[in-house]
Amino acid sequence: MDLALLRTFVTVHRAGSFTRAAALLGLSQPAVTSQIRSLERQLGRPLFLRQARGVTPTTIGDELAHKAAPHLDALVEIVETGLDDASSLRTLHLAGPPEFTAERALPALTELTAADGQGYTLRASFGDAEEILDGLAAGHHDLAISTARPRGGLFTATTLCDEEHVLVAAPPWAERIGAGKLDGNGAPALDHVPVIEVHESLPFVSRYWASVFDARPAGPGTVVVPDLRAVLACAAAGAGLAVLPRYLCADALERGDVVALHEPAVPPLRTYFLVVRTGTLALPHIARAHERLHRAAADWN
């Protein structure tokens, strides 16, 4: 069986589209279609079901991808690393949300980059859940951290950890609104407090309000910055209230830079998932990183 046909097949399987696979391979779409048809004729079975938007693998297509993909990945890695360069390190491509990846995932993986003959180089990319999973499907990443659990046979996802969210503000704001005295009926007391968020849609504040107060925030964001670390800095500076992951603001809470405005009996949580392309945990460098992150997550929880 022609390895070039298998490579095209695996790329289509991961991309979920002939068009996207063609772009990734640097081929025309008709060339990709022709190669897939050739492989289907050799096997005597259809590998994909054509749909209005992309393709879905058949059962035999999934089975072939799961068997072939790890071996093709290993061959590509050999070529990229170089047969004659014994000192070359494997490269792990990680993707995830910027704050969680920077504050938790990357520090947990640093031991794997040690120059002990077993380490490897690390490359990280940041993005939202959709961007991250699209990049993983296309083969741009080896390992992804996502706040959305992907569906379908292309990915294998495991629960990594839960993230507790905390409603915080600087001490002067806490004194004005009476920190610690809020309950489910106290949400209106916060209507006059400016809101700091990462997006105009107020994803963190809206989720907190719905979960704790069974309500919606009264007004728009006053300060919108696309990074939770910047949100924390603005909150500590007195710009208003914010909803932040506890791990991110724990030190600021301990120093008194910000104060928790409310401690609900059941705090809102967000779950993170560790995602790989199905079959790639057979590759040692991905398996090591996957295991290391799960070990570290036991302490995060």
Side-chain angles (χ1 to χ4, degrees):
M1 186 177 294
D2 190 339
L3 287 178
L5 297 184
L6 278 178
R7 179 170 177 259
T8 299
F9 160 72
V10 169
T11 303
V12 172
H13 187 273
R14 287 173 172 170
S17 159
F18 284 178
T19 301
R20 291 171 61 189
L24 291 168
L25 293 166
L27 300 173
S28 66
Q29 182 175 338
V32 169
T33 302
S34 175
Q35 289 187 25
I36 295 301
R37 286 176 176 168
S38 177
L39 186 58
E40 288 176 328
R41 284 195 298 270
Q42 290 183 28
L43 296 173
R45 302 282 293 276
L47 297 172
F48 297 103
L49 300 176
R50 279 66 169 177
Q51 298 180 332
R53 298 183 62 182
V55 294
T56 300
T58 62
T59 300
I60 190 67
D62 266 335
E63 183 179 349
L64 178 61
H66 297 165
K67 289 180 178 179
H71 301 291
L72 286 171
D73 287 340
L75 288 172
V76 170
E77 187 172 7
I78 289 172
V79 172
E80 291 180 348
T81 300
L83 292 173
D84 299 324
D85 188 359
S87 64
S88 293
L89 301 178
R90 294 175 182 269
T91 298
L92 177 79
H93 294 270
L94 173 72
E99 304 87 357
F100 186 89
T101 304
E103 299 290 330
R104 290 201 144 172
L106 288 174
L109 292 174
T110 53
E111 69 176 39
L112 301 182
T113 63
D116 59 359
Q118 299 297 319
Y120 47 76
T121 57
L122 184 60
R123 299 290 182 269
S125 301
F126 299 148
D128 60 29
E130 183 177 359
E131 293 169 337
I132 291 164
L133 294 177
D134 282 348
L136 183 65
H140 299 318
H141 317 309
D142 301 313
L143 195 60
I145 299 168
S146 172
T147 54
R149 181 191 286 274
R151 297 183 178 181
L154 175 59
F155 300 120
T156 297
T158 53
T159 301
L160 184 61
C161 66
D162 289 325
E163 170 185 271
E164 179 186 344
H165 287 178
V166 189
L167 177 62
V168 302
W173 276 112
E175 292 171 6
R176 289 176 60 180
I177 62 180
K181 298 179 181 178
L182 298 178
D183 57 22
N185 297 318
L190 301 173
D191 287 354
H192 67 288
V193 185
V195 173
I196 313 165
E197 258 286 8
V198 296
H199 191 272
E200 298 288 353
S201 63
L202 310 184
F204 285 83
V205 171
S206 295
R207 189 182 303 117
Y208 191 98
W209 253 240
S211 174
V212 176
F213 301 127
D214 193 22
R216 299 179 63 181
T222 301
V223 178
V224 176
V225 287
D227 190 294
L228 289 172
R229 291 161 294 194
V231 170
L232 173 59
C234 291
L241 65 79
V243 173
L244 292 166
R246 185 173 289 277
Y247 80 85
L248 192 63
C249 62
D251 290 343
L253 287 166
E254 186 174 349
R255 292 191 304 266
D257 297 341
V258 293
V259 176
L261 301 180
H262 189 39
E263 294 285 0
V266 181
L269 300 175
R270 181 168 68 166
T271 301
Y272 285 96
F273 301 95
L274 194 55
V275 190
V276 297
R277 294 186 301 278
T278 299
T280 58
L281 282 177
L283 299 174
H285 71 300
I286 298 179
R288 286 181 66 199
H290 191 274
E291 179 185 2
R292 180 69 189 91
L293 287 173
H294 274 291
R295 289 206 314 268
D299 294 329
W300 301 337
N301 287 325

